[in-house]
Amino acid sequence: GENVEQHPSTLSVQEGDSAVIKCTYSDSASNYFPWYKQELGKRPQLIIDIRSNVGEKKDQRIAVTLNKTAKHFSLHITETQPEDSAVYFCAAREPGTASKLTFGTGTRLQVTL
Amino acid sequence: NAGVTQTPKFQVLKTGQSMTLQCAQDMNHEYMSWYRQDPGMGLRLIHYSVGAGITDQGEVPNGYNVSRSTTEDFPLRLLSAAPSQTSVYFCASSYGWGRDYEQYFGPGTRLTVT
């Protein structure tokens, strides 16, 4: 099955700086890569996703890039704010499945003032 | 729409007890899944279903059973609780094939097994 690795496990940035979280996946046929944000005590919520026919996608201060050749994708958050502090999970959809996702182990982002 | 709902929110069990975690969605989603979340280990798939009457195992299925008799409901049964099953459990649903793959999560159930 699919294997997703995520780095770093913790990340601390100052408010206004950028944050980058990286993930690699194992199955070259995977074609859907979502990112979820989980605030403390809350449920995970989708913040952005990308499909394998696109190299980059942006939504205001967040962007995701995909390198299919290297089998890795990254989340970029610019101009970080305290409300960006949360745990972020990347995931990959297993090829040939309806919506079966394999998640990374998460990155705890702390934005300091 | 209520989205994805889960009950109970909190539960304490003694080793060997059984219980059922309830999950329901009102979005007519075909795909439903159960995850457990443990510190440092992300979200691990327990069981999933691609439609009523169809279920399959995920990464960590041992000690859990599921069934899907309706599109809306996907209960998770713990057969004989063990301390290793102490975790936060999330149910999720999505449309599935050929449509939006976004998974919508329920609020979670925090389970402690003593």
Side-chain angles (χ1 to χ4, degrees):
Chain A
E2 178 68 271
N3 183 49
V4 176
E5 296 190 356
Q6 182 172 349
H7 300 282
S9 57
T10 61
L11 180 60
S12 182
V13 300
Q14 285 198 322
E15 182 180 7
D17 288 348
S18 295
V20 180
I21 303 170
K22 298 181 179 181
C23 290
T24 60
Y25 60 98
S26 61
D27 194 328
S28 58
S30 291
N31 61 6
Y32 173 72
F33 307 93
W35 285 89
Y36 284 81
K37 175 183 180 181
Q38 186 179 29
E39 296 176 353
L40 189 62
K42 301 290 182 65
R43 72 191 78 186
Q45 292 192 299
L46 181 74
I47 55 171
I48 195 167
D49 56 16
I50 191 168
R51 298 192 183 224
S52 59
N53 58 347
V54 175
E56 183 176 7
K57 184 177 179 181
K58 289 183 180 180
D59 183 2
Q60 299 183 342
R61 294 187 298 108
I62 61 173
V64 56
T65 58
L66 172 64
N67 183 328
K68 288 191 294 182
T69 303
K71 292 189 287 186
H72 69 69
F73 56 111
S74 300
L75 178 71
H76 304 255
I77 306 174
T78 59
E79 301 173 16
T80 53
Q81 301 169 1
E83 52 264 39
D84 294 328
S85 295
V87 178
Y88 293 81
F89 293 98
C90 63
R93 185 180 78 94
E94 288 203 14
T97 68
S99 283
K100 188 179 178 186
L101 297 179
T102 299
F103 284 84
T105 50
T107 296
R108 181 173 300 278
L109 174 64
Q110 180 74 39
V111 180
T112 58
L113 298 173
Chain B
N1 287 352
V4 181
T5 57
Q6 291 183 238
T7 56
K9 290 185 177 180
F10 301 94
Q11 183 71 48
V12 179
L13 290 178
K14 294 186 186 305
T15 297
Q17 288 184 318
S18 62
M19 78 160 294
T20 299
L21 279 62
Q22 301 293 344
C23 174
Q25 53 89 13
D26 61 358
M27 296 175 282
N28 202 30
H29 284 169
E30 299 168 351
Y31 184 88
M32 296 186 73
S33 53
W34 277 101
Y35 297 90
R36 59 176 290 171
Q37 183 174 33
D38 303 293
M41 302 188 76
L43 293 153
R44 292 184 293 167
L45 183 64
I46 304 171
H47 285 285
Y48 65 99
S49 169
V50 298
I54 307 170
T55 64
D56 205 348
Q57 296 181 349
E59 179 186 356
V60 287
N62 292 342
Y64 308 95
N65 272 357
V66 292
S67 60
R68 183 103 178 264
S69 57
T70 67
T71 299
E72 294 78 20
D73 301 296
F74 190 44
L76 177 72
R77 283 182 288 277
L78 278 70
L79 309 174
S80 177
S84 61
Q85 293 179 305
T86 294
S87 188
V88 179
Y89 292 84
F90 287 100
C91 178
S93 72
S94 68
Y95 281 110
W97 292 108
R99 297 186 65 176
D100 184 0
Y101 293 127
E102 176 179 357
Q103 291 200 15
Y104 295 82
F105 284 82
T109 295
R110 184 174 296 273
L111 175 68
T112 301
V113 182
T114 62

